[in-house]
Amino acid sequence: MRRRMPGVSQEEDTPDPLKVESSKYKTPSTGLGKLSHTLRLDAVYLFFQEIRGHSVVEEKKVAILGDMRSACYVSLLHILPTTASITLLVLNWKGYYIGDELQGPVGQDGLRFLGLQFASKMLELLAVASLSTILFALIRSLLIYDTLPFGAMTTGFEFNNISLLWSKEFVATCGATTFSSSRTKILLVSTIVVFTILGATIGPSAAVASQPVLRNWPGGGTVFWLNATSQELWPSHLDGVGLPDLPCISSQNASCVPPNYSLLAMEMLSFWPSPSSVSADGGTVPRLMPEKASISGRYSVHTLEARFIGPFVYHPHLTSATTPSAAVADALSQVARYWNNANTHQCYVGKTCFHYYNDISYTVNALQPLTFVRCSASDINATIQFPRLDQGIEKYPLVNYSSTTIGSQQWFDAATSNGSNPGLSWVELPAADFGRASVGAAVALPGTKTKTGEEGGQILACTIDARWANATAAISFLGGPMIVSGTPALWLGGAQYQLDSTGLPLWPQVTIAPAWAESISSIVTDSSESVFTSLCNSIGRLGNVSKAVSPINAVEAILAVMITDGLARTSSLATILGSLKGLDNGEWIHEFLPKDTVFGTGGSAFNYTYQQGDQSTKFESRTAVNGYGYGITAAPLLSTLVLFIYSLIATIYVVHSLCFAKMTSSSWKSITELVALAANSTPSSVLKNTGAGIATLGILKQPVKIGVIDNRLQMVFDDREDADEIKQNEYYG
């Protein structure tokens, strides 16, 4: 029989199993255990404790920790998502250029984008956990030091579900009148709303903000001046011989028109469809022809674009043609070469530059010629009728042209050299009869011989409407260096009929004197043919425009490209004023590229300053680099705004926790812990008949707090007044 020590009772001698177990195994209280608990990694910590054979039993715990170390542990949960969010904010707001591919091995962008998607998902999960911690801190504070509507107790688990905003719990919280102050109610309700919206949007926002965008990024440019006035570059009236050195005597003269007529003939007009009777396909293949031709200038090539009425699969309202002005195209080409040299230099010396790219485009906004043409046919010796083009789309009434000469047999024979070649006479069209018209053209087409006999000649009366239209001239590296192209917006949609606030055409019209029009169709000395005749003979490679399909539309095409090319060469000898700034110190390099930012416009790279009375015109070129990068566009702007709001909230909470509150708690952070608290609480009459569910808002509006009763933490409703407040660093069961 075991003896008792003197003075020790039987009850004291019997060991308490709970005490024995407690003496061997402790609830996590080490720094690592607290850190794991704070970072919600309890499962990992407890798993390793089980592996080591350390079973842990539940002991009393501190509900409110009032030490700086615990507050620092809680702050760790917010550092990573906040840092990642701020990094994305800086990348997008300040800008960062990557290149034609993401950084890393070539051709592996798919894997890199997948990695960014995973990273953004991790940011979402961490940010939601961070928001959950902040919301729990607010709810826990109200439960301990104030009261909270019963329906708001679980909002910390549901805020990342947008349906919370129309749930009965949230409605009850908004309608509750038991808050200690309206300020507390506003704080709680607004926090729930903001956090719910953030919980629903922070995921897609992180995904968008983390993905580099493939787009044209602003890469600089410069202001420059041409030594010609706007009236000289885009005259409203052309009288006499407007182009220098006409008639042409040398094909090497860049200001001469005829060197380009062969380009227009070969690249465009020679592809006019042939008659189906002699076509190899028997007329079964849809008819198409080139809509672009390259026009040579002094320092560049500008692209002439056209749309023709005719036997084609497309049907514009009017035959139209447009091309950038030669002077503007030459200047833009020169500026593009300067920018390329500046960017190459910056890359060579290791400074910020655009090293890799998919494409580079250089643009300048300027007026450019746009010509519309429509013709009507009549017999010889009949009254010819010109279409009127100022009445609107598809409204082209014919108006008689009173002339005793044009249209007669005598005029026809003289114009066609007795029926051997097409002829052309330019005429003025009075505004009183023909409205707004630039110039008229009377075209004599000789007859043709067919199997059934000889068809007589005809006369075409063509009205020409020439405009200076707003457009953007552009050079694309992939589209060909030094090749300038551009078209006005809606140039095929009737925009020429739009008026400005003063009632004048939005696109100024050009009045063309017959003498100027005659000068662009001068005699080419090497063939003794006019430009017009040579272009007519090039139609469809037939040698005779009268044999072409729809000869009237072919003539419209010829007139449109002739007038457009001629207008584009007004003041074609204009050049950039001034020299490059600081050739010795490279000042011009920094003027061409964005200043103090990754993306943006440039400055002024030429040392010319406009003085009052100078005969010059100002332009601004802009460079855009196509590649991947981070920057502010519509979608990233909204996404970074969401990340900014989250970062601001998390930063304020961390600062408040470390500098002011200096306390923290991680109790009741899961539904299981909240259920355990409810199970340990004394049943309340307030919750009568709610065991199978809650059907009214009144129950959800009931104020509840957590207090101490019988040395245990319990949920306390208004029917209990014997609860004590929770104290810091006190252990509770």
Side-chain angles (χ1 to χ4, degrees), residues 53-339:
H54 293 179
S55 299
V56 180
V57 297
E58 294 291 341
E59 290 184 337
K60 292 183 178 181
K61 303 173 189 66
V62 176
I64 305 175
L65 295 171
D67 66 291
M68 180 63 72
R69 177 181 295 180
S70 299
C72 291
Y73 285 163
V74 173
S75 301
L76 294 176
L77 181 64
H78 310 280
I79 290 177
L80 184 57
T82 303
T83 303
S85 298
I86 293 175
T87 302
L88 292 177
L89 290 175
V90 173
L91 280 175
N92 284 276
W93 287 359
K94 186 177 180 180
Y96 179 75
Y97 181 74
I98 300 174
D100 58 336
E101 284 193 345
L102 302 189
Q103 293 171 338
V106 177
Q108 299 297 321
D109 276 354
L111 290 176
R112 289 190 281 267
F113 276 113
L114 180 61
L116 289 174
Q117 287 288 342
F118 280 124
S120 64
K121 187 61 179 179
M122 288 300 301
L123 173 57
E124 176 192 1
L125 296 176
L126 290 173
V128 170
S130 171
L131 291 173
S132 175
T133 300
I134 298 172
L135 184 55
F136 270 119
L138 176 60
I139 294 173
R140 192 183 294 115
S141 176
L142 292 176
L143 283 172
I144 294 174
Y145 299 110
D146 204 329
T147 58
L148 185 76
F150 182 58
M153 288 193 65
T154 59
T155 52
F157 308 109
E158 302 171 355
F159 78 93
N160 58 341
N161 188 346
I162 195 69
S163 63
L164 171 64
L165 297 181
W166 54 83
S167 66
K168 60 183 180 181
E169 288 81 5
F170 181 70
V171 172
T173 301
C174 294
T177 59
T178 56
F179 288 94
S180 60
S181 66
S182 58
R183 198 175 191 183
T184 303
K185 179 178 179 179
I186 294 174
L187 174 62
L188 178 62
V189 172
S190 60
T191 300
I192 294 174
V193 172
V194 172
F195 279 35
T196 301
I197 295 175
L198 287 177
T201 59
I202 201 165
S205 297
V208 172
S210 64
Q211 294 289 323
V213 180
L214 178 62
R215 58 162 293 190
N216 289 327
W217 298 100
T222 185
V223 171
F224 64 91
W225 297 75
L226 292 183
N227 60 347
T229 65
S230 59
Q231 184 59 31
E232 290 172 337
L233 290 170
W234 312 297
S236 58
H237 182 74
L238 291 170
D239 194 4
V241 179
L243 299 177
D245 301 320
L246 293 174
C248 291
I249 58 176
S250 172
S251 61
Q252 300 302 316
N253 190 336
S255 64
C256 186
V257 177
N260 283 322
Y261 87 92
S262 58
L263 297 175
L264 294 171
M266 290 185 296
E267 296 184 16
M268 183 177 287
L269 299 177
S270 65
F271 291 94
W272 192 272
S274 300
S276 59
S277 58
V278 296
S279 176
D281 55 59
T284 58
V285 176
R287 288 169 173 167
L288 300 170
M289 68 173 293
E291 299 175 341
K292 296 182 180 181
S294 299
I295 307 299
S296 63
R298 292 191 304 155
Y299 305 120
S300 67
V301 172
H302 49 282
T303 302
L304 185 144
E305 297 193 33
R307 299 291 186 277
F308 305 129
I309 298 177
F312 308 115
V313 294
Y314 48 81
H315 298 282
H317 302 295
L318 291 170
T319 291
S320 313
T322 186
T323 187
S325 296
V328 174
D330 289 343
L332 182 60
S333 176
Q334 186 176 356
V335 166
R337 295 195 296 274
Y338 284 144
W339 184 94

Side-chain angles (χ1 to χ4, degrees), residues 288-495:
L288 300 170
M289 68 173 293
E291 299 175 341
K292 296 182 180 181
S294 299
I295 307 299
S296 63
R298 292 191 304 155
Y299 305 120
S300 67
V301 172
H302 49 282
T303 302
L304 185 144
E305 297 193 33
R307 299 291 186 277
F308 305 129
I309 298 177
F312 308 115
V313 294
Y314 48 81
H315 298 282
H317 302 295
L318 291 170
T319 291
S320 313
T322 186
T323 187
S325 296
V328 174
D330 289 343
L332 182 60
S333 176
Q334 186 176 356
V335 166
R337 295 195 296 274
Y338 284 144
W339 184 94
N340 186 68
N341 289 340
N343 183 62
T344 301
H345 176 271
Q346 293 296 88
C347 293
Y348 180 77
V349 299
K351 295 185 178 180
T352 301
C353 67
F354 301 95
H355 194 73
Y356 301 102
Y357 45 82
N358 291 316
D359 197 5
I360 306 177
S361 60
Y362 314 88
T363 60
V364 62
N365 294 327
L367 296 178
Q368 70 180 52
L370 174 60
T371 307
F372 302 95
V373 180
R374 187 175 180 88
C375 300
S376 67
S378 62
D379 295 330
I380 302 173
N381 289 324
T383 300
I384 63 174
Q385 296 178 311
F386 285 89
R388 183 166 177 169
L389 304 184
D390 64 343
Q391 301 298 298
I393 295 177
E394 301 294 350
K395 297 178 182 178
Y396 313 119
L398 299 179
V399 180
N400 292 338
Y401 181 77
S402 57
S403 174
T404 58
T405 304
I406 295 178
S408 64
Q409 183 68 54
Q410 183 179 3
W411 171 84
F412 183 85
D413 292 340
T416 61
S417 300
N418 293 321
S420 59
N421 280 312
L424 170 66
S425 292
W426 301 95
V427 298
E428 292 185 7
L429 298 179
D433 297 324
F434 299 93
R436 290 192 178 98
S438 298
V439 71
V443 178
L445 293 184
T448 58
K449 294 181 179 180
T450 64
K451 294 180 180 180
T452 59
E454 185 172 347
E455 295 183 357
Q458 60 180 338
I459 299 173
L460 306 181
C462 304
T463 303
I464 297 164
D465 181 7
R467 307 286 181 121
W468 296 115
N470 299 308
T472 299
I475 295 177
S476 170
F477 184 80
L478 290 183
M482 302 176 66
I483 299 179
V484 184
S485 61
T487 56
L490 302 176
W491 65 294
L492 300 174

